[in-house]
Amino acid sequence: MSREKPLQADVIIAGAGIAGLWILNLLKRRGYNALLLETDHIGGGQTIAAQGIIHSGLKYMLAEKMTGPARSLADMPQRWREALAGKGEVDLSAVNVAAGTQHLLIPKGFTGGFLKTMAEKTLGDSVREMAPDLWPLSLKSAGFKGSVLAMNETVLDVPAVIRALAEPYRHCIRKADINDLEAEAEVFIFTAAAGNEKIAKRRGHEKKLKSRARPLLMGMLKPAPFSLFTHLVGASEKPVATVTTHKAADGTLVWYVGGQVAERPGDSNPGDVLQAMKDAFKKYMPGVDLGGMEWAVLPIDRVEGQGGAKAWLPDMPTVRAVDDCLYCWPTKLTFAPMLGDMVMDHLEKNGLQSSCHQSDWSFLPEVDYALPPWDKVKWIKQD
């Protein structure tokens, strides 16, 4: 876009996923003249593909990795609860909570006693064993045999989270490619996931940071017979399957399935995901008939940055500073508050001051919201 003068702001962010939206809210609340640029859709990519789980430390408990920086994960649910109550650093009071509890299903004969002890020791009051007579009727009718732990893991309506963060500052979110603009800012923040690598190459920063993509092929089933929010526990540190429930545009319930079921390259045979879902449900919930359901898959890469010069810090947010740029990867939806802290700490330590000016960005085109995966994938009827 041709302009007589370069576009100017205190901070320019590229990438309107959860990280970019969260950081924009923090900046605007502090009075910064900030602009968020997006080349596709608000909340697209990894964010809209998230299951919406605010993790409490389950996977680290299973892997016995609740040490060091991973403990910070335990602080995230409270940060999100404050935001949902309208009392946090961002206002998510308009967001629907899809579920306030997730069920951890431990098969009979598995190392249930050990897991229950570890869960209670690690997660405290946020986890409790449920007596069989208190199980949800859907679990009873599904034929599950084993132990059920109720975990206070909130599951959010991700599209609602995106809108709650974007709407107050929609006038500061515009459709444009940072590489195509002549722009000046005190700080550039890149939250474009896989797009960060392209931006870094354009700026000569590619040798100073590294990222990697962890492929997933998420599964979907509809119409789901009942609402289900559960982790199916296996021998690995990752659940065999993590199932959340969402509503399609027509009101149909959709089971969205991650975990080991989805841990495979995006170009894998989609039928393998369907078979893995069938196998998981047959083992844990034999009373559920998947035969009449339609199914679909969503290939998505979870892109994460390298946290230090020598080693990867898996499942943690990353911020890398190069010249006047910050390259950011939240890794998980859960970590958005922590990533926001890391960015604001950097800006404050480097003395960034607000210009006390708010620009009119209306000369740049508006950008639409991303559709949820279940409303855009190709659904397949089973043979």
Side-chain angles (χ1 to χ4, degrees), residues 184-202:
E184 295 178 358
E186 294 297 319
V187 178
F188 293 90
I189 301 176
F190 301 117
T191 58
N196 280 359
E197 184 176 349
K198 176 183 176 182
I199 294 169
K201 287 181 178 180
R202 289 284 295 265

Side-chain angles (χ1 to χ4, degrees), residues 246-267:
H246 309 266
K247 271 190 179 180
D250 63 2
T252 303
L253 287 184
V254 176
W255 279 346
Y256 193 32
V257 187
Q260 289 184 54
V261 162
E263 296 276 346
R264 62 190 77 230
D267 59 356

Side-chain angles (χ1 to χ4, degrees), residues 72-94:
S72 299
L73 183 63
D75 299 329
M76 292 301 100
Q78 181 58 31
R79 299 281 296 277
W80 281 89
R81 282 192 289 268
E82 291 170 356
L84 290 167
K87 300 177 180 179
E89 58 214 348
V90 303
D91 184 2
L92 298 179
S93 58

